[in-house]
Amino acid sequence: MDPDPDRTRAFGEQLLGMLTGGMLTMLIGIGHRTGLFEAAARGPATSSELAERAGLHERYVREWLGAMVTGGIMEYDPADGRHTLPAAHAALLTGATSRNVGPTASSLRTLGSVLPQVERCFTEGGGVPIAEYAAVSAGGLGETWRHIYDEHLVDGFLGRVPGLHERLRAGVRVLDLGCGTGHAVNVMARAFPESTFDGLDIATDAIADAEAERAAMHLPNAAFAVADAAALAPERPYDVITAFDAIHDQAAPEVVLRRIHDALDPDGLFVMIDTNFATRLEDNLADPYAPLSFGISLLFCVPTSIATGGSGLGAMWGREQARRMLADAGFTDVQVFDTPRPQNCMYVCRAEQR
Ligand SMILES: C[S@@+](CC[C@H](N)C(=O)[O-])C[C@H]1O[C@@H](n2cnc3c(N)ncnc32)[C@H](O)[C@@H]1O
């Protein structure tokens, strides 16, 4: 039977929108990395004026502007040949803020750089070692998360946990697992000088960056170490353990969750910030963030987990599976909180009394 022509036509339009979006995403990344958006935000400009402002070659800037104008990102006045980045658009394309989507657009380039390796995994199995992802933590997603921590970690995330600010102000021992380049640890250590903060990650380079930032910020109450979370067995229990966007990437998440449970004081809290999706595919159909997060999971979370011998849990494990795994690890009291980002939720878990 011939396909429904109206449906085919509508899907063709949908596909054109996707191809256009894919292309504009790459060009937004260029605008972010070359400083074109910052320059454009300073006022209307011809291609020559904008190129001079940004210190770039006019011919390339002109073609980029053509895509920006026809793509609805910038406006063009044929009367004077000037291009304008509307203030409402500049709010989402400029500035050192988590609202700036430039770093996320840029991070898709990083993910694109490993497409041949991921495609090979489809046919041959296996994973992609994290070392093959150029600058994953230095730019792109890592940069966005740094801004999120600056803007939201202390109040927007931790401030929602009843009683946590009080405990942190009084002075407790905190561990951040999978701390990456450690910005969250350093932000918390600065906000709560009476508490001590240990950051732990398996990536040596990330821990070196974390320690350099700690030293630059003069934080005596933070410390970092290279270690495997699956082998966590501290000499003294912690009062609070955090894991920010780090559990679903683990090779052995079940083991890590059990280790976290056992490393907590009986009154301790485990605070896990993770993705905010449903476990069943059919329950994510109306979620506008789902396709992007599935893509990031496919191109980063799953292959990096499998590369270290994991099963590739992935970013889309979902709230129901997370709750099941937390319960299996011994957390009988789990509350899920909304966060300032709809794509993320926060699990606040109390250890079972032992
Ligand atoms: C997506 S990053 C999140 C980093 C950081 N929490 C942040 O929000 O910026 C996940 C981190 O988990 C770390 N990781 C993965 N497996 C680990 C393991 N077995 N032990 C410790 N860290 C691990 C990775 O090296 C990476 O830094």
Side-chain angles (χ1 to χ4, degrees):
M1 202 173 78
D2 284 342
D4 173 351
D6 289 341
R7 195 167 173 187
T8 299
R9 197 175 310 108
F11 184 56
E13 285 169 17
Q14 188 184 342
L15 285 174
L16 176 61
M18 289 177 195
L19 295 175
T20 303
M23 181 57 73
L24 290 175
T25 299
M26 287 196 279
L27 302 194
I28 287 173
I30 291 178
H32 173 66
R33 292 190 296 276
T34 59
L36 272 166
F37 285 128
E38 298 292 340
R42 284 161 49 200
T46 64
S47 59
S48 302
E49 289 164 349
L50 187 63
E52 194 180 332
R53 224 183 258 170
L56 300 169
H57 288 276
E58 187 276 340
R59 182 66 193 93
Y60 288 91
V61 171
R62 195 187 340 145
E63 215 68 2
W64 179 84
L65 281 168
M68 291 300 106
V69 170
T70 54
I73 295 171
M74 292 177 67
E75 291 166 356
Y76 179 63
D77 183 351
D80 62 5
R82 290 201 162 82
H83 310 75
T84 299
L85 179 63
H89 294 192
L92 302 178
L93 290 168
T94 60
T97 143
S98 63
R99 292 176 78 196
N100 185 349
V101 303
T104 302
S106 266
S107 73
L108 299 189
R109 183 178 72 148
T110 301
L111 297 180
S113 71
V114 297
L115 284 183
Q117 292 95 310
V118 175
E119 283 164 14
R120 202 173 53 234
C121 295
F122 273 81
T123 52
E124 296 175 12
V128 183
I130 196 162
E132 295 190 28
Y133 290 77
V136 158
S137 57
L141 294 172
E143 186 182 337
T144 304
W145 272 102
R146 288 178 70 82
H147 295 314
I148 293 168
Y149 293 139
D150 285 333
E151 294 161 25
H152 301 300
L153 181 57
V154 171
D155 293 324
F157 286 96
L158 303 181
R160 294 184 187 208
V161 184
L164 183 55
H165 269 198
E166 289 75 4
R167 290 177 79 171
L168 291 168
R169 272 199 291 270
V172 287
R173 295 182 69 238
V174 183
L175 169 69
D176 185 40
L177 270 190
C179 67
T181 51
H183 193 56
V185 171
N186 290 329
V187 166
M188 292 190 289
R190 183 179 55 195
F192 301 104
E194 300 304 323
S195 288
T196 58
F197 296 85
D198 293 336
L200 183 156
D201 201 285
I202 205 160
T204 312
D205 291 357
I207 289 296
D209 289 349
E211 173 52 29
E213 185 182 83
R214 185 205 66 77
M217 289 171 70
H218 307 291
L219 296 168
N221 59 332
F224 293 96
V226 177
D228 183 353
L232 178 71
E235 283 173 13
R236 281 175 56 207
Y238 283 96
D239 302 297
V240 179
I241 298 181
T242 57
F244 300 150
D245 197 30
I247 294 298
H248 64 253
D249 285 342
Q250 297 291 316
E254 300 89 349
V255 175
V256 173
L257 290 174
R258 167 58 70 175
R259 293 269 177 173
I260 291 170
H261 176 271
D262 293 351
L264 275 171
D265 186 83
D267 287 336
L269 272 189
F270 172 43
V271 180
M272 176 173 89
I273 297 175
D274 216 286
T275 49
N276 187 20
F277 295 97
T279 299
R280 294 188 330 167
L281 176 61
E282 58 269 40
D283 295 334
N284 289 307
L285 297 184
D287 191 320
Y289 294 100
L292 191 56
S293 196
F294 264 116
I296 293 170
S297 184
L298 170 65
L299 298 181
F300 179 76
C301 308
V302 169
T304 53
S305 164
I306 291 179
T308 54
S311 60
L313 180 61
M316 300 303 289
W317 58 325
R319 292 176 299 268
E320 296 81 6
Q321 188 172 0
R323 277 181 174 280
R324 271 197 301 274
M325 288 173 61
L326 288 164
D328 289 347
F331 290 108
T332 49
D333 178 351
V334 176
Q335 285 177 285
V336 185
F337 290 82
D338 286 336
T339 76
R341 284 166 53 82
Q343 315 92 301
N344 292 106
C345 61
M346 182 169 60
Y347 299 81
V348 177
C349 318
R350 286 178 170 74
E352 176 179 38
Q353 292 294 319
R354 281 167 283 156

